[in-house]
Amino acid sequence: MTVGKWNFTIDRGGTFTDIVALSPDGRISTRKLLSENPGRYDGAVPAGIREVGVKFGAGELFLPELVMAAETMRAGVAVLEPHVPKGSDTRVTHKVVLATVQDDIHEIGKNLVATMLTASGFDVIDMGVNQPSEAILKKAREEKAEIIGVSALMTTSMPRMKELITVAQTQGVRSKEKVVVGGAPVTEQYAKEIGSDGTAGDASGAVRLAQKLVGAKP
Ligand code: B12
């Protein structure tokens, strides 16, 4: 699909070949990025979809196009996933419960985070989207997870992150589990304000943060 200066395509020549974002300064090939820098495929993939988001926000694109771009992205990520090297460090067996907060159905970024964490040896339990705080905390306790990761993409759903931390505090489980937050609107300052254990702007950052929190070697 072409959006303004961007040509965000999944090339399929019988089988999948690549996801290519055509930027004004040249093609960004996800496959090339992946082969040059294994485990870091979140660099090129989100570029096209971010452009779509900016244009949607500016009223230059409409919901059908947003949905189309998201489906393209989802299909591409699913095809790429098997090519991401799996975790080689068998010593790392830390559990992470991951979810998108209640009232929010955005999942592309969360899925990237899940893939990268898994590739780095974490045991990820992905609860999906639109998950109530209580359900996330219950799951984390059942699974004895060390980290809870929550994603929110809208200013209207961000307060659910604070809610989760407040509920965890009331239930007395906050001291056991680390809570990390993320999603495009989440800033370092917001993460601090709500009392989380940190945030990261991309999936690789999320891995580094998780490794730091559990004391695992990068
Ligand atoms: C794709 C998309 C959709 C798709 C989602 C498909 C899917 N299956 O996920 C669809 C079409 C369904 C959709 C729907 C809607 N959307 Co929408 N959407 C987007 C868009 C364009 C891209 C989001 C995305 O996937 N980005 C790419 C990923 C890779 O980036 P990311 O999510 O930020 O994730 C990275 C980091 O943030 C981080 N990260 C993410 N999660 C986590 C978690 C942890 C723990 C950590 C550490 C890190 C981390 O790592 C990720 C990987 O690099 C954004 C625009 C934007 N700028 O974000 C709008 C956007 C979020 N949507 C918006 C809106 C308004 C909506 C709708 C309400 C539209 C409508 N009128 O129906 C609905 C929401 C319905 C709901 N209840 O949730 C607005 C939100 C405005 C606001 N209030 O804040 C945005 C900002 C668009 C805009 N500019 O207006 N959307």
Side-chain angles (χ1 to χ4, degrees), residues 66 79 121 127 157:
L66 189 66
V79 177
M127 295 179 68
S157 61

Side-chain angles (χ1 to χ4, degrees), residues 42 46 49-50 52-54 56-57 63 66-67 70 73-74 98 103-110 112-113 149-151 153-156 180-184 199-203 206 209:
D42 60 323
I49 196 94
R50 285 210 188 102
V52 171
V54 170
F56 177 75
L63 202 54
L66 189 66
V67 174
M73 175 94 181
R74 269 163 58 86
L98 205 58
D103 303 324
D104 196 327
I105 60 162
H106 295 89
E107 64 177 346
I108 296 168
K110 168 187 69 59
L112 279 171
V113 171
V150 275
S151 186
L153 261 290
M154 300 186 293
T155 47
T156 46
V180 296
V181 295
T199 185
D202 60 27
L209 176 63

